Amino acid sequence: MNRYEKLADNIAQRIRAGSLKANDRLPSVRELKSQMGISASTVFSAYYLLEAQGLVEARQRSGYFVRAGAEMPANELAASEPVLRSMSVDVSSLVFQVLAQARERDMVPLGSAFPSPELFPFEQLAAGLTRALKRMDPWQTVEDLSPGNAQLRHQISLRYGSVGMDVPASELVITSGAMEALNLALESVTQPGDLVAIETPTFYGALQALERRGLRAVEVETHPRTGVDLSSLARVIDQHPVKACWFMPTFQNPMGCTMSDAAKEQLVSMLAARAIPLIEDDVYGELAHGARRPPPAKAWDRDGWVLHCSSFSKSLAPGYRIGWVAGGRFAATLGRNKLMSSLATALPSQLALQEYLQHKSFDRHLRALRHSLSRQQAACLRFIDRYFPTGTRVTRPEGGYFLWLALPEGVDSLALHQDALRLGIGVAPGHLFSADRRYTRHLRINYGYLGDPRLEGAIRSLGDLANAQLKSTTGKSGPSSRNVRRDPS
């Protein structure tokens, strides 16, 4: 980390540990400059980063203060409690039903899986596409079959290099979005009937992929702040014939949790020792709210057992459907499976992305995007704190654009989803995020629609609906409260 990032990280840890409390004044720029022998610009950069993360706020002519609600809560969301048995998967009908009802443009898209398209540089991408198509050699339509355009794979390889990873372009297969990458990875390391270890709760797309391939799932305990519990994983793979793991170690969907670097290293080592492939879903990794992008688990892969899957859909170019997989020892199999399934990925989209990555500042775009998402998260948390029932618990991820809420006993999130639809509000009920639909009082909320003036009203309406459910089922309703518990994941 840079010097200002280290300073910000130190202050953030003190805030979350409670040694710096709400409304405490931080040392002035002059004080820190003198005490630590650092420049004023370093202190300002650290405070700007903490402000973007929603931990501190600037008060006119008074300095910087710890923001209310930034400290670690006394009662955070508990780790999940998986059913330690294999399960068949049958979620697609529910997923299709829920998602089909929330696609209208007029719907407040709190249940969407995508950030606002207004956050992305579509004009620059379109200009790059125009330039690339004018220069395109007709023979590229043949040469750029799977594994994909060589220049784009080179640019992606350079992105890995920028975070200290050596992933050669020859290991990469370009795909039609991350879902194709993940499905190809699953196909390359499993056979129908095999058992796959997954997080709980988990991304419903993973459940659908297992269902489609006739695979069974076994769940692993997952903490809403620190991700996959490695002792739980060890028990699972000791007791069950796990053929692969599908995990999202960075900014997991739906909880937003991120495993530490040490935990990622241990995860990769544990699985490699047992020759179990890790399918790493890393589509949100670039969306860190701070300046540092957490390295993927692939960074510790020495023997090629990690199949790292990502895309540009969440960070740069939604709709262009460009993803990839770094397949390690499975790269050749992935390339063959890609050829047999879809032959190639759309060449114009590949050329547009290659043009942008070569000539534009992806990192400058990411800095603006990360800052916007961080500020939007802080606003959404304030509204949830203000309007949701007493006892609601909510995560506070350090990246991505999802919040995971646990509502009080007596609230059914699927019924809440149906009631919200009638008000023009979409949410993702917790039922979607496990094979046995156990998360019946949980919600995933998307805060990635920057500046939507309907956000506060929609959160207020959801809070009113939840309170109404509580009153009808328990006889108690809680004014929305300042007692919403936040897990600072």
Side-chain angles (χ1 to χ4, degrees):
M1 287 188 284
N2 294 324
R3 182 173 289 187
Y4 78 90
E5 291 176 302
K6 291 180 181 178
L7 175 58
D9 188 60
N10 177 267
I11 295 172
Q13 289 184 31
R14 293 170 62 199
I15 292 171
R16 287 168 178 155
S19 57
L20 284 172
K21 301 185 182 301
N23 298 311
D24 280 356
R25 183 179 181 278
L26 299 182
S28 70
V29 173
R30 181 179 298 175
E31 289 170 333
L32 277 183
K33 178 183 174 183
S34 174
Q35 291 171 10
M36 302 184 66
I38 56 180
S39 68
S41 64
T42 297
V43 181
F44 275 120
S45 294
Y47 283 177
Y48 293 155
L49 178 55
L50 291 165
E51 188 177 20
Q53 292 171 345
L55 298 177
V56 307
E57 59 186 1
R59 298 179 186 173
Q60 192 171 15
R61 298 184 180 180
S62 299
Y64 283 88
F65 293 78
V66 178
R67 192 176 201 132
E71 69 281 359
M72 181 177 288
N75 190 9
E76 65 182 6
L77 265 165
S80 60
E81 297 179 0
V83 177
L84 295 179
R85 57 178 173 81
S86 65
M87 295 178 283
S88 58
V89 181
D90 180 15
V91 298
S92 285
S93 58
L94 179 61
V95 171
F96 291 144
Q97 172 195 341
V98 170
L99 297 185
Q101 294 170 318
R103 290 179 179 173
E104 291 82 4
R105 183 176 295 201
D106 293 338
M107 188 76 63
V108 183
L110 301 182
S112 171
F114 305 98
S116 170
E118 296 178 3
L119 293 169
F120 301 98
F122 281 107
E123 289 186 7
Q124 294 180 22
L125 288 166
L129 174 60
T130 300
R131 290 192 299 271
L133 288 177
K134 286 180 179 179
R135 296 195 304 267
M136 189 180 78
D137 180 346
W139 276 97
Q140 285 185 271
T141 58
V142 177
E143 293 170 347
D144 289 343
L145 298 179
S146 183
N149 178 264
Q151 288 75 28
L152 177 58
R153 287 185 291 128
H154 174 68
Q155 290 296 327
I156 294 171
S157 178
L158 292 177
R159 292 294 304 174
Y160 281 111
S162 70
V163 292
M165 298 172 61
D166 181 17
V167 179
S170 59
E171 187 180 330
L172 302 173
V173 176
I174 304 298
T175 60
S176 298
M179 276 312 302
E180 186 185 32
L182 292 157
N183 276 289
L184 287 172
L186 197 63
E187 181 183 0
S188 299
V189 299
T190 63
Q191 296 293 327
D194 282 349
L195 188 63
V196 177
I198 59 173
E199 298 145 323
T200 183
T202 194
F203 170 45
Y204 50 75
L207 296 172
Q208 288 178 292
L210 299 185
E211 178 183 343
R212 175 176 170 270
R213 187 155 171 76
L215 298 163
R216 298 178 65 79
V218 60
E219 297 177 334
V220 178
E221 180 179 323
T222 309
H223 191 278
R225 179 163 40 87
T226 56
V228 171
D229 182 275
L230 295 176
S231 59
S232 173
L233 175 61
R235 289 194 299 272
V236 165
I237 59 183
D238 284 343
Q239 297 171 16
H240 298 276
V242 171
K243 298 299 184 183
C245 297
W246 179 325
F247 295 150
M248 194 178 291
T250 305
F251 309 139
Q252 190 252 13
N253 179 1
M255 292 193 294
C257 51
T258 295
M259 299 178 71
S260 69
D261 290 359
K264 289 176 182 175
E265 182 177 15
Q266 188 178 348
L267 168 66
V268 172
S269 176
M270 177 192 300
L271 296 180
R274 294 166 172 81
I276 297 175
L278 170 61
I279 300 172
E280 181 177 17
D281 183 351
D282 191 32
V283 295
Y284 306 103
E286 294 283 15
L287 303 183
H289 292 175
R292 177 179 178 262
R293 183 227 196 276
K298 179 73 174 175
W300 289 276
D301 183 23
R302 302 292 176 261
D303 302 306
W305 288 101
V306 179
L307 299 89
H308 180 255
C309 303
S310 191
S311 83
F312 293 108
S313 295
K314 307 298 191 294
S315 61
L316 178 61
Y320 278 59
R321 304 306 303 152
I322 295 296
W324 69 90
V325 52
R329 62 174 59 214
F330 305 99
T333 302
L334 284 158
R336 289 194 297 269
N337 287 341
K338 168 67 177 176
L339 274 170
M340 289 188 291
S341 61
S342 60
L343 192 63
T345 299
L347 182 57
S349 293
Q350 293 188 65
L351 296 178
L353 267 294
Q354 184 273 328
E355 179 79 14
Y356 183 91
L357 293 172
Q358 184 174 358
H359 297 292
K360 300 296 180 182
S361 176
F362 185 27
D363 289 309
R364 184 166 60 244
H365 158 72
L366 285 175
R367 284 194 293 272
L369 176 61
R370 292 166 174 173
H371 182 73
S372 296
L373 290 175
S374 179
R375 292 177 65 85
Q376 186 78 347
Q377 184 199 84
C380 195
L381 285 168
R382 287 197 301 273
F383 299 148
I384 291 170
D385 193 41
R386 188 176 301 160
Y387 298 120
F388 268 62
T390 300
T392 299
R393 298 178 182 180
V394 57
T395 57
R396 185 173 189 157
E398 295 181 350
Y401 48 86
F402 294 126
L403 298 175
W404 180 245
L405 282 71
L407 295 157
E409 294 285 353
V411 177
D412 179 81
S413 60
L414 192 57
L416 187 65
H417 154 75
Q418 296 289 350
D419 291 340
L421 281 177
R422 288 188 278 272
L423 300 178
I425 304 167
V427 294
H431 303 63
L432 303 179
F433 299 95
S434 69
D436 60 2
R437 307 183 185 185
R438 80 179 60 181
Y439 295 102
T440 58
R441 58 186 182 90
H442 293 71
L443 289 176
R444 188 195 70 185
I445 286 181
N446 179 335
Y447 60 83
Y449 279 73
L450 188 68
D452 191 326
R454 303 172 297 173
L455 177 64
E456 182 172 6
I459 296 292
R460 177 187 293 176
S461 295
L462 288 174
D464 290 344
L465 291 172
N467 275 309
Q469 272 199 37
L470 277 176
K471 188 173 183 180
S472 66
T473 57
T474 67
K476 300 177 182 178
S477 68
S480 351
S481 72
R482 295 309 242 166
N483 296 321
V484 172
R485 298 295 187 185
R486 296 182 186 172
D487 171 23
S489 48

